[in-house]
Amino acid sequence: MWAITPEELVAIKLSLRVATVAMLASLPVGVFVAYLLSRGRFRGKFILDGLVYMPLVLPPVVTGYALLLLFGRRGPLGAFFEQTFGIVFSFRWTGAALAAAVMGFPLMVRAIRLAMDAIDRRSEEAAATLGASPIWVFLTVTLPLSLPGIIAGAMLCFAKALGEFGATITFVSNIPGETQTIPAAIYTYTQTPGGDAGALRLSIIAVALAFGALIASEVLSRRAGQRRAGFE
């Protein structure tokens, strides 16, 4: 009952791959968007704010369908990426990573933004008065002080990506060995007679991976927070 089958092992490896790629691909954009929302003063800021958090309130199937329209082979962005970079998203693991990144992005941005909002602006102002450019202030002051939030946001995105199901299955379906992640494999087991044992095995593994990601986030954030305290 507790022996992991080769198919389940493939699903586990694919989930880790998808979650890792989703987290790493989202991180630079997440830091940039969080900085815009925290420090930016521009028209339409509330629109950007709403767009960032939209995946949290939309049904995941709606998000997945929007990705299919945009990044499918006949979609404008999907055709562009395929013709320009040779990257295909629809019904591929890359599409699963994209869907997971979109769903985890709001959690990442929120954690990083809260960390940036908590920074004492006087530290940034002091660096600026010493002649540092805005980019140098960001790299040497804002970014290091935001590190706990960045770590927390990255790990939250990773954990969310591990558990993403609705948008993924809508966008890239449930193809064993290609797009079947842990949640999709669990769903398949629940629809299969006698699949309870497999569903239970993968559910336990999913809980362990998600819990491990959250614990790692807490530990790394605390260490970064201690370094931040020393920096300040």
Side-chain angles (χ1 to χ4, degrees), residues 121-148:
R121 297 290 183 92
R122 290 175 296 182
S123 300
E124 297 173 324
E125 293 170 357
T129 57
L130 293 174
S133 66
I135 294 179
W136 192 245
V137 171
F138 171 77
L139 293 176
T140 59
V141 180
T142 309
L143 200 60
L145 293 179
S146 303
L147 191 56

Side-chain angles (χ1 to χ4, degrees), residues 61-128:
V61 292
V62 175
T63 302
Y65 183 62
L67 289 173
L68 186 60
L69 293 177
L70 291 173
F71 289 92
R73 290 203 168 192
R74 296 184 179 180
L77 295 178
F80 169 77
F81 275 96
E82 183 175 4
Q83 294 171 8
T84 307
F85 304 106
I87 300 175
V88 177
F89 291 104
S90 58
F91 307 107
R92 299 285 180 86
W93 76 269
T94 49
L98 175 61
V102 170
M103 297 302 294
F105 188 73
L107 299 176
M108 175 184 287
V109 170
R110 179 167 178 78
I112 299 174
R113 180 183 181 181
L114 289 175
M116 289 183 175
D117 288 342
I119 295 174
D120 188 346
R121 297 290 183 92
R122 290 175 296 182
S123 300
E124 297 173 324
E125 293 170 357

Side-chain angles (χ1 to χ4, degrees), residues 24-212:
L24 294 177
S26 300
L27 191 55
V29 182
V31 171
F32 176 71
V33 171
Y35 182 78
L36 281 181
L37 293 176
S38 177
R39 298 292 190 268
R41 298 291 183 269
F42 54 90
R43 288 186 178 182
K45 181 179 176 180
F46 69 96
I47 297 177
L48 176 61
D49 199 17
L51 289 174
V52 167
Y53 297 114
M54 187 71 73
L56 290 180
V57 296
L58 282 177
V61 292
V62 175
T63 302
Y65 183 62
L67 289 173
L68 186 60
L69 293 177
L70 291 173
F71 289 92
R73 290 203 168 192
R74 296 184 179 180
L77 295 178
F80 169 77
F81 275 96
E82 183 175 4
Q83 294 171 8
T84 307
F85 304 106
I87 300 175
V88 177
F89 291 104
S90 58
F91 307 107
R92 299 285 180 86
W93 76 269
T94 49
L98 175 61
V102 170
M103 297 302 294
F105 188 73
L107 299 176
M108 175 184 287
V109 170
R110 179 167 178 78
I112 299 174
R113 180 183 181 181
L114 289 175
M116 289 183 175
D117 288 342
I119 295 174
D120 188 346
R121 297 290 183 92
R122 290 175 296 182
S123 300
E124 297 173 324
E125 293 170 357
T129 57
L130 293 174
S133 66
I135 294 179
W136 192 245
V137 171
F138 171 77
L139 293 176
T140 59
V141 180
T142 309
L143 200 60
L145 293 179
S146 303
L147 191 56
I150 293 173
I151 294 173
M155 297 309 295
L156 283 173
C157 180
F158 180 83
K160 175 62 176 176
L162 278 175
E164 170 50 34
F165 173 71
T168 301
I169 201 170
T170 304
F171 181 31
V172 296
S173 190
N174 182 9
I175 306 171
E178 182 64 38
T179 65
Q180 189 179 76
T181 56
I182 292 176
I186 293 173
Y187 174 77
T188 299
Y189 272 130
T190 62
Q191 304 300 307
T192 304
D196 294 345
L200 179 59
R201 280 195 302 271
L202 288 180
S203 295
I204 292 173
I205 291 171
V207 171
L209 289 174
F211 186 70

